[in-house]
Amino acid sequence: PKNSDPDVVREKARILKGNVDAVNITDCQTAIVRMSSIGAGLLAQAEGLEPVIQMTCRDRNRIGMQSDLLAASALGLKNLLCLTGDHQKFGNHPGAKGVFDMDSIQLLGMIRDMRDGKKFQCGEEIKGKGTDLFLGAAANPFAYPYEFRAVRMGKKIANGADFIQTQIIYNLDRFTEFMKTTCELGLHEKAYILAGVTPPKSVGMARYMKKFVPGMDVTDEVIKRMQGAKDKKQEGINICVDIINQVKEIPGVAGVHVMAIEWEEAVPEICERAGLLPRPTFDDDAASVPETIVAARETIEVRTAAGAADDVLEQAKAEAEKIIAAARTEAAALSAQAAQSGEATTENAAASGQAADDAGEHAMNEKGRREALESVNQGLNALKKAYGLSDDQFDALMNFVDAASVLNKEPEGLTQQPVGATPAPAAVSS
């Protein structure tokens, strides 16, 4: 909104909740002063939506952008769409000074390095927690020269874009050609491509987009359908649903971006009629990624079938048993090696046969125990990442394996010590 009323955001959020997977929160679109994307994103998140905040290069330099994104990540926002931004002369402050310290491609690279390389744009290391943002960018299949649009999108993907939102699609033939080139370049395997769609509200809106909106390709067929319709709004929804059903069949398309501009009430009907409802829901304890993508980030394993969470935990338990067995063997070998070298024996211990009472052997056993525990900790944390375990599942796994007590058993020749004496494996964000 062009004011500070939080209920504007909340009311729209309640319309969209349950009908979409995420919502875009624009950053002063068309260069007009509006509530900040980060602030409105937090309001939407509080209503149970997954916000995609946006950032343009128009209004901030690289210092301001990095600062705001550290705060956004600290506040729990996870998705970011990177845009160059509309020129300020088109907005309500045409005399404002545009910053444009970098463009959207450079912005993507900067944030990717903050996330993956834990460093600021200047090269300085980020000490402590960096950002963990899922990065998006925009692409326009209908801008001239057409044959280079997929290549330009590829530059954004190479610089860190995990998902792409396209310009509004009306010319399906041209979009199909764009996606064909996209697939030939293998870009659909490196990022999610979301096809942009919108329901035209009136003939006037369709004509305006055709004549005056740069990069828009509204076909004559769309205008004729709107002209011949008795209920213009309903026909606009019909057109949008038809386009969604067609783009779903185009190879490489991973989803749709519904842009119902100031018409959020139409979104539930559009999604339902296009066969997109109900949206998948996932328990907090289960991995919630519908498919994997090849990117710089770690691959997240798919777990969507009923009972998958329990299945994952059982598999993790089996792997954990292997890790424990290997660690026990390693610890025993270290103790045996120490005894053979004479480092862990004394004349008294050799005579009595009670090596466990000897200070030297105690030290070596402790060393072996700690090295084994370190191996266990590393292995279990790796399991958490590999299987996408939640904190609760990981706690259950730790209770199951009871690594410390196993490693401290006398029959394995390991010195007994209270479990609390060694740090528990650190929690790993799944």
Side-chain angles (χ1 to χ4, degrees), residues 73-154:
S73 190
L75 291 168
L77 298 173
K78 305 179 185 69
N79 314 289
L80 174 72
L81 188 73
C82 300
L83 303 165
T84 299
D86 300 310
H87 197 278
Q88 65 274 10
K89 70 179 181 180
F90 298 112
N92 60 356
H93 289 72
K97 183 177 181 180
V99 180
F100 296 108
D101 189 20
M102 50 180 60
D103 63 20
S104 59
I105 298 176
Q106 294 168 317
L107 174 59
L108 281 163
M110 179 178 75
I111 305 167
R112 175 204 59 199
D113 290 343
M114 291 177 70
R115 181 189 69 191
D116 300 338
K118 287 196 68 176
K119 63 181 180 180
F120 293 112
Q121 193 272 337
C122 63
E124 179 184 338
E125 178 187 358
I126 298 176
K127 297 180 180 178
K129 191 176 185 301
T131 63
D132 189 22
L133 295 165
F134 195 63
L135 301 180
N140 188 351
F142 312 108
Y144 185 81
Y146 311 121
E147 60 270 24
F148 293 114
R149 303 322 297 177
V151 174
R152 177 172 171 76
M153 181 178 70

Side-chain angles (χ1 to χ4, degrees), residues 90-331:
F90 298 112
N92 60 356
H93 289 72
K97 183 177 181 180
V99 180
F100 296 108
D101 189 20
M102 50 180 60
D103 63 20
S104 59
I105 298 176
Q106 294 168 317
L107 174 59
L108 281 163
M110 179 178 75
I111 305 167
R112 175 204 59 199
D113 290 343
M114 291 177 70
R115 181 189 69 191
D116 300 338
K118 287 196 68 176
K119 63 181 180 180
F120 293 112
Q121 193 272 337
C122 63
E124 179 184 338
E125 178 187 358
I126 298 176
K127 297 180 180 178
K129 191 176 185 301
T131 63
D132 189 22
L133 295 165
F134 195 63
L135 301 180
N140 188 351
F142 312 108
Y144 185 81
Y146 311 121
E147 60 270 24
F148 293 114
R149 303 322 297 177
V151 174
R152 177 172 171 76
M153 181 178 70
K155 291 182 179 180
K156 295 184 178 184
I157 294 173
N159 252 30
D162 299 304
F163 67 96
I164 298 290
Q165 295 178 355
T166 78
Q167 175 62 286
I168 296 169
I169 300 164
Y170 289 114
N171 189 331
L172 283 157
D173 291 338
R174 182 156 288 160
F175 180 70
T176 300
E177 285 300 313
F178 169 80
M179 287 306 302
K180 180 180 178 182
T181 305
T182 295
C183 292
E184 288 172 352
L185 295 172
L187 300 178
H188 65 301
E189 297 178 342
K190 299 177 182 177
Y192 295 109
I193 313 296
L194 306 181
V197 298
T198 195
K201 276 177 150 181
S202 64
V203 179
M205 176 183 175
R207 285 174 174 163
Y208 180 84
M209 289 190 295
K210 180 180 179 68
K211 293 182 179 180
F212 301 111
V213 180
M216 285 286 294
D217 192 345
V218 182
T219 63
D220 292 336
E221 180 188 356
V222 168
I223 294 176
K224 288 178 182 177
R225 284 185 62 174
M226 293 298 293
Q227 285 176 330
K230 292 181 179 180
D231 187 334
K232 308 298 184 186
K233 287 188 175 181
Q234 192 59 49
E235 185 61 20
I237 291 177
N238 293 341
I239 290 171
C240 187
V241 170
D242 289 344
I243 292 172
I244 291 174
N245 286 330
Q246 291 179 73
V247 298
K248 283 197 294 185
E249 302 302 319
I250 298 175
V253 174
V256 291
H257 171 207
V258 182
M259 291 172 269
I261 304 161
E262 290 299 323
W263 195 14
E264 286 79 8
E265 296 83 2
V267 173
E269 181 181 350
I270 290 170
C271 293
E272 182 175 12
R273 289 183 51 199
L276 302 176
L277 296 182
R279 300 308 306 147
T281 58
F282 302 89
D283 295 334
D284 291 339
D285 290 345
S288 59
V289 179
E291 59 178 308
T292 57
I293 62 172
V294 179
R297 313 190 75 187
E298 293 181 82
T299 301
I300 306 173
E301 189 166 352
V302 182
R303 295 287 169 186
T304 57
D310 293 337
D311 182 53
V312 169
L313 189 57
E314 287 304 314
Q315 292 184 49
K317 285 178 179 179
E319 292 297 322
E321 287 181 322
K322 295 178 184 178
I323 292 171
I324 296 296
R328 292 171 65 183
T329 301
E330 179 184 352

Side-chain angles (χ1 to χ4, degrees), residues 325-341 364-365 368-369 371-372 412-414:
R328 292 171 65 183
T329 301
E330 179 184 352
L334 284 169
S335 294
Q337 186 178 30
Q340 289 173 358
S341 66
M364 289 308 298
N365 281 343
R369 186 185 68 83
E371 290 190 15
E412 299 300 324
L414 299 180

Side-chain angles (χ1 to χ4, degrees), residues 1-9 33-36:
K2 293 193 289 182
N3 56 52
S4 62
D5 185 359
D7 287 335
V8 175
V9 179
V33 178
R34 305 174 194 271
M35 186 186 294
S36 84

